[in-house]
Amino acid sequence: MATLPNPLPKLMSDPTGAALGLRLPPGRLVDTTHQGVWPEPLLWLADAPAAPGDWAELAPARRSAGLLPVVVDAGGGQGGPQEWELAPDAMSYPGDHDADEVLADLWEEYAAGETGQDWPGLTEAGATDPGPDSPQDPDAVAMTLVDELVESGGLLEDPRLALVPARRSADIPAAIGWSGPVNHEGDTARLCAVLRSWEDRFGIRVVALGFDHLLVSVAAPPLTPAEAEAVAAEHFAFCPDNILQSGDPSVRAYAETRVLGQPAWSFWWD
């Protein structure tokens, strides 16, 4: 996978991050993969559970060091990311894939037989990424969601803040070699191409990763039932389990409850 220069090795001799213009709390570098130790660290992981305000403290790392924050779940039966069997060697580069083509392939394999319909194509519903000068700044929306997430508890068993060397938020899963969707798609970079498209159209940010689940914030979600149903079709191809294993396995029901006006989208792969 094509990546930016990785600044994380500098933390080996400078764990506070001062050389990168940071003030990091105690943490560790994760370089463990399914094939053993990776040549460079894949992420920095805080030792202590995340608390409200921690994301804001790490946000400057994006400008000063090219590191993007994300919450990872270090609890659960699978443990933390050092035990997730990360597979960076299996990742291509998200920019090499077209989101519409990726979803069309996945729709044909997983959704066409369930719906009896051809792939409808990407929807133009929703605003483009609102940008940093908007009241719905995607980074501010992400920060608010993370604070609510770690304050309420429940969704993540042991939320820890992490920093990942990535070009954009949508690339974070592939940058660390995350293989949570492996039973659905072996090259997570293909799904990151879809996340890039959602980043551009709906202002999403990848805010949390678990062993097999993903949470994104949404700054400009669809606001009409028709738009939500069109986006729900994209979700069906992206993560069929979201719909097929729900109480009412229909695209329309999913759109009404999980997409329409929702400030967060969550995904889980069996």
Side-chain angles (χ1 to χ4, degrees):
M1 173 178 167
T3 60
L4 294 169
N6 187 350
L8 289 178
K10 294 182 180 180
L11 299 180
M12 298 174 70
S13 58
D14 175 27
T16 67
L20 298 175
L22 305 174
R23 292 191 304 169
L24 295 178
R28 71 188 75 175
L29 295 171
V30 175
D31 59 5
T32 307
T33 75
H34 71 128
Q35 289 191 329
V37 177
W38 195 246
E40 291 186 325
L42 296 168
L43 66 149
W44 171 89
L45 179 67
D47 285 342
D54 286 355
W55 182 284
E57 291 290 330
L58 293 183
R62 182 172 198 158
R63 296 187 299 273
S64 65
L67 296 169
L68 303 185
V70 65
V71 179
V72 300
D73 192 351
Q78 292 80 19
Q82 66 275 12
E83 301 172 69
W84 288 353
E85 297 190 349
L86 300 176
D89 57 308
M91 304 296 135
S92 58
Y93 178 55
D96 290 339
H97 305 286
D98 178 79
D100 187 63
E101 292 178 2
V102 169
L103 290 176
D105 289 345
L106 295 173
W107 178 274
E108 182 64 26
E109 184 172 358
Y110 295 101
E114 297 289 339
T115 64
Q117 299 175 355
D118 293 331
W119 167 239
L122 293 183
T123 176
E124 296 301 322
T128 55
D129 187 324
D133 296 325
S134 166
Q136 289 297 91
D137 168 24
D139 293 316
V141 171
M143 189 180 305
T144 298
L145 177 63
V146 169
D147 283 350
E148 293 173 351
L149 181 70
V150 299
E151 187 170 31
S152 64
L155 184 60
L156 303 178
E157 293 194 30
D158 186 5
R160 306 285 182 92
L161 262 293
L163 290 172
V164 175
R167 295 175 182 272
R168 50 195 290 182
S169 178
D171 293 356
I172 286 174
I176 67 171
W178 184 62
S179 55
V182 67
N183 292 332
H184 175 59
E185 170 57 61
D187 181 3
T188 305
R190 282 167 46 84
L191 297 184
C192 287
V194 178
L195 292 174
R196 282 185 170 204
S197 177
W198 291 346
E199 202 172 63
D200 294 337
R201 287 181 290 147
F202 306 110
I204 70 103
R205 295 292 186 267
V206 173
V207 297
L209 286 171
F211 174 73
D212 55 8
H213 51 278
L214 163 71
L215 178 71
V216 304
S217 59
V218 191
L223 297 178
T224 70
E227 291 172 346
E229 191 165 343
V231 175
E234 298 184 27
H235 285 207
F236 198 160
F238 184 82
C239 181
D241 290 334
N242 264 29
I243 292 176
L244 296 179
Q245 298 197 29
S246 67
D248 184 355
S250 73
V251 172
R252 177 167 297 178
Y254 175 86
E256 292 174 352
T257 59
R258 301 279 296 277
V259 179
L260 182 63
Q262 294 298 310
W265 297 338
S266 61
F267 304 94
W268 167 78
W269 290 267
D270 193 355

